[in-house]
Amino acid sequence: MYETPELADETFTRTSAIRLYEPGDFEGMRVAGRLVAEALDMITPFVVPGVTTQEIDDRIRQFTLDKGGLPACLGYKGYMKTVCTSINHVVCHGIPGDRVLKDGDIVNIDHTVIVDGWHGDSSRMYAVGNLAPRVKKLVDVTYESLALGLEQVKPGNTFGDIGFVIQRYVEANRMSVVRDFCGHGIGRLFHDSPNVLHYGRKGEGAVLKPGMFFTIEPMVNLGKPHVKVLSDGWTAVTRDKSLSAQCEHTVGVTEDGCEIFTASPAGLFNPN
Ligand code: MF3
Ligand code: CO
Ligand code: CO
């Protein structure tokens, strides 16, 4: 049999429709998700004062290739590193380089792998040395907001339900949710429909259905939600230079809830 051009297009092009994957597709996502989680586990003991973000990038790239994965960010839209390393007031898409981590820094490491065409995308916060109580609190609120969002992932709920609980929790803690970046559908494509907003209203947005694969990746600021992108074209920072934290899982909607593809085998997802 031959593939029609329509089928070929449908397979690899982003459209506004939210793709529904088959039960058999979950296994591919499990494999990709596990590898990205193992890479983020592996790097944990190396995120210490004195290390450069480039060393982190090198270790994660080597680990990923050794285990048979492809680094999805490497070469993506001209991005030339394996991971994003976003330190302190960097919201996301920080570029690894010669920056040396120092005591009290918080750094988000965001990694995406491709295994057999399936994408796994996850990020975590890493505490470098000792954190001030206010900084610890920021990280805790960010993780709890993701946990609350994940609780909403079940058939019949909407994407608005996810955004609503994240925003409500973050703002109740007098912090803010970044609006300029969002989660995304994922699977055969890295960034697919829908945009998964981390704010919103109950009952709004598309209804969740079994077989949807997407990320939830809230970015939470201690100050105002506004961000700007630096002249390197990637690094997003808070406009008011307040600290920012983020964490991300790739999930699939099941018949009765959700499967987290990027859960940490070593239980290291939350640094606190
Ligand atoms: N992993 C990021 C996400 O969560 C995307 C990074 S794209 C890059 O969607 F090119 F900056 F790496
Ligand atoms: Co993502
Ligand atoms: Co990511």
Side-chain angles (χ1 to χ4, degrees):
M1 288 296 287
Y2 61 91
E3 266 192 347
T4 64
E6 291 75 23
L7 270 177
D9 274 349
E10 171 61 17
T11 307
F12 294 111
T13 308
R14 179 168 176 161
T15 66
S16 61
I18 304 176
R19 237 169 273 271
L20 295 181
Y21 288 96
E22 301 296 323
D25 296 334
F26 279 69
E27 186 53 27
M29 292 299 283
R30 258 171 226 142
V31 174
R34 190 180 311 123
L35 178 52
V36 78
E38 286 170 353
L40 293 175
D41 284 351
M42 176 280 298
I43 204 66
T44 304
F46 298 104
V47 187
V48 291
V51 78
T52 67
T53 49
Q54 183 61 52
E55 290 170 62
I56 291 170
D57 195 75
D58 290 339
R59 283 190 191 276
I60 293 182
R61 184 179 56 260
Q62 201 54 55
F63 180 90
T64 301
L65 293 169
D66 287 347
K67 300 271 171 160
L70 294 173
C73 295
L74 192 56
Y76 179 79
K77 295 187 177 174
Y79 191 77
M80 290 315 287
K81 302 290 176 176
T82 292
V83 296
C84 299
T85 48
S86 302
I87 305 168
N88 298 341
H89 73 297
V90 179
V91 172
C92 63
H93 302 164
I95 305 172
D98 49 24
R99 166 72 151 88
V100 177
L101 296 181
K102 60 179 199 305
D103 185 57
D105 283 341
I106 48 170
V107 57
N108 174 278
I109 303 178
D110 191 343
H111 185 36
T112 308
V113 306
I114 310 171
V115 182
D116 289 335
W118 297 103
H119 291 74
D121 183 6
S122 182
S123 83
R124 301 179 194 168
M125 296 307 294
Y126 296 80
V128 184
N130 293 308
L131 302 187
R134 184 81 184 130
V135 183
K136 247 193 163 85
K137 179 76 182 168
L138 168 66
V139 173
D140 278 339
V141 168
T142 305
Y143 273 77
E144 182 59 21
S145 78
L146 173 58
L148 291 170
L150 291 168
E151 278 178 15
Q152 295 298 316
V153 180
K154 52 182 161 230
N157 278 3
T158 69
F159 282 96
D161 295 337
I162 299 172
F164 172 76
V165 295
I166 293 172
Q167 180 182 13
R168 182 178 58 179
Y169 183 75
V170 168
E171 293 179 354
N173 282 280
R174 286 166 280 104
M175 300 178 193
S176 67
V177 172
V178 170
R179 309 292 203 274
D180 293 8
F181 296 95
C182 55
H184 47 92
I186 190 169
R188 306 303 306 195
L189 294 179
F190 187 174
H191 292 114
D192 204 348
S193 292
N195 288 332
V196 179
L197 306 181
H198 305 111
Y199 57 93
R201 294 174 203 243
K202 267 186 203 175
E204 284 190 350
V207 176
L208 303 183
K209 298 195 177 98
M212 287 181 176
F213 296 163
F214 55 88
T215 72
I216 307 178
E217 47 183 300
M219 283 141 278
V220 176
N221 299 347
L222 274 183
K224 298 246 154 37
H226 312 108
V227 311
K228 67 175 180 193
V229 176
L230 301 185
S231 58
D232 60 24
W234 287 102
T235 311
V237 299
T238 55
R239 280 190 178 269
D240 61 8
K241 300 210 170 60
S242 67
L243 294 177
S244 186
Q246 179 179 25
C247 54
E248 172 177 28
H249 271 316
T250 296
V251 305
V253 183
T254 62
E255 291 300 324
D256 59 359
C258 113
E259 178 169 345
I260 300 172
F261 297 124
T262 48
S264 165
L268 296 173
F269 187 64
N270 189 330
N272 287 330

